[in-house]
């Protein structure tokens, strides 16, 4: 399948059946259209250039939307902190959130303009990961930091969004943070194509 071939090309070996199931869930995790309007704007401005509209949609991605690389890097940093200090998940979470509050930085991979408290895409992906044995230390650490971060009343409704869930799950599958951006693009691509084509036809 495409999912198995993708894993083989990037990881250098064929995936186990459970790895295929989880990666397949990841690759379908961001498919959707109509919400992200960058491609529609670009194809409207230049209807003869669908490739430019396609690539432009991804050029709009970054640490705050679409791309989970930064989130994956942060999870690895927290994990190294936890192991170096022989800390528990809760102790690490408190330390991480204190850092964010002092530096006035936001936790990556949480919040969404349309979803409060839960992102249904994130919930479903976690269910698949748990079913196949891919909820480990990195996922539990991320969730512990999220719980601690959202104890603040102004942050109480910030859900783990699909970017954050991608970061956890792809780390559990053995992918590196830099690879996560490309995987997110592959997941988003069908919806971006649909957006472009719908706008062109209209």
């Amino acid at each position: 399948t495409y999912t198995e071939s993708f894993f083989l090309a990037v990881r250098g070996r064929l995936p186990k059946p459970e790895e295929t199931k989880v990666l397949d869930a990841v690759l379908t995790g961001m498919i959707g259209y109509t919400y992200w309007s960058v491609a529609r704007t670009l194809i409207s401005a230049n209807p003869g250039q669908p490739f430019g509209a396609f690539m432009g949609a991804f050029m709009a991605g970054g640490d705050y939307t679409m791309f989970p690389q930064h989130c994956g890097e942060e999870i690895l940093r927290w994990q190294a902190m936890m192991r170096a200090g022989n800390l528990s998940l809760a102790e690490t979470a408190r330390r991480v959130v204190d850092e964010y509050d002092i530096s006035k930085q936001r936790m990556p991979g949480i919040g969404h303009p349309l979803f409060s408290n839960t992102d249904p895409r994130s919930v479903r992906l976690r269910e698949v990961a748990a079913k196949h044995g891919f909820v480990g230390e990195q996922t539990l650490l991320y969730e512990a930091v999220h719980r601690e971060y959202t104890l603040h009343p102004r942050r109480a409704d910030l859900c783990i969004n699909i970017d954050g869930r991608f970061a956890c799950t792809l780390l559990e599958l053995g992918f590196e943070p830099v690879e996560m951006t490309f995987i997110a693009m592959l997941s988003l691509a069908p919806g971006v194509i649909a957006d472009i084509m719908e706008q062109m036809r209209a």
Side-chain angles (χ1 to χ4, degrees), residues 89 126 135-145 147 172:
L89 289 173
R126 193 195 192 284
V135 171
E137 183 178 80
Q138 290 157 329
T139 297
L140 296 176
L141 176 57
Y142 186 73
E143 292 172 348
V145 173
R147 281 193 301 274
E172 302 280 6

Side-chain angles (χ1 to χ4, degrees), residues 81-122:
M81 176 196 303
M82 181 173 69
R83 292 178 176 177
N86 195 27
L87 304 172
S88 66
L89 289 173
E91 289 169 333
T92 307
R94 285 192 292 271
R95 184 173 295 188
V96 168
V97 173
D98 284 345
E99 285 183 358
Y100 284 146
D101 287 342
I102 291 168
S103 63
K104 294 184 172 19
Q105 292 183 338
R106 59 181 286 182
M107 177 183 175
I110 65 169
H112 193 274
L114 302 180
F115 304 126
S116 296
N117 299 311
T118 58
D119 180 336
R121 305 166 301 171
S122 174

Side-chain angles (χ1 to χ4, degrees), residues 11-179:
R11 294 259 60 81
R13 64 172 176 84
L14 283 169
K16 299 174 184 176
E18 58 271 23
E19 291 172 320
T20 301
K21 291 287 188 182
V22 176
L23 181 57
D24 197 44
V26 167
L27 289 170
T28 57
M30 285 191 189
I31 293 178
Y33 74 110
T34 70
Y35 166 66
W36 192 251
S37 62
V38 173
R40 285 177 179 268
T41 301
L42 291 172
I43 197 63
S44 296
N46 196 347
Q49 296 294 326
F51 181 73
F54 181 78
M55 293 309 298
F58 298 116
M59 293 298 290
D63 290 350
Y64 286 178
T65 188
M66 292 203 295
F67 297 154
Q69 177 179 340
H70 175 58
C71 190
E73 291 166 346
E74 282 291 272
I75 295 170
L76 292 179
R77 183 178 72 84
W78 306 341
Q79 189 177 40
M81 176 196 303
M82 181 173 69
R83 292 178 176 177
N86 195 27
L87 304 172
S88 66
L89 289 173
E91 289 169 333
T92 307
R94 285 192 292 271
R95 184 173 295 188
V96 168
V97 173
D98 284 345
E99 285 183 358
Y100 284 146
D101 287 342
I102 291 168
S103 63
K104 294 184 172 19
Q105 292 183 338
R106 59 181 286 182
M107 177 183 175
I110 65 169
H112 193 274
L114 302 180
F115 304 126
S116 296
N117 299 311
T118 58
D119 180 336
R121 305 166 301 171
S122 174
V123 171
R124 182 64 183 132
L125 179 52
R126 193 195 192 284
E127 290 172 352
V128 174
K131 178 180 178 180
H132 295 286
F134 286 91
V135 171
E137 183 178 80
Q138 290 157 329
T139 297
L140 296 176
L141 176 57
Y142 186 73
E143 292 172 348
V145 173
H146 174 251
R147 281 193 301 274
E148 184 71 23
Y149 191 78
T150 53
L151 288 177
H152 193 292
R154 288 188 298 178
R155 305 191 290 236
D157 64 344
L158 295 177
C159 61
I160 295 176
N161 61 34
I162 193 62
D163 298 355
R165 187 61 63 191
F166 262 41
C168 301
T169 306
L170 288 170
L171 285 175
E172 302 280 6
L173 283 168
F175 289 94
E176 299 176 31
V178 70
E179 295 171 318

Side-chain angles (χ1 to χ4, degrees), residues 6 27 67-69 177-187:
F6 175 82
L27 289 170
F67 297 154
Q69 177 179 340
V178 70
E179 295 171 318
M180 296 176 185
T181 292
F182 302 116
I183 296 170
M185 290 173 67
L186 292 174
S187 183

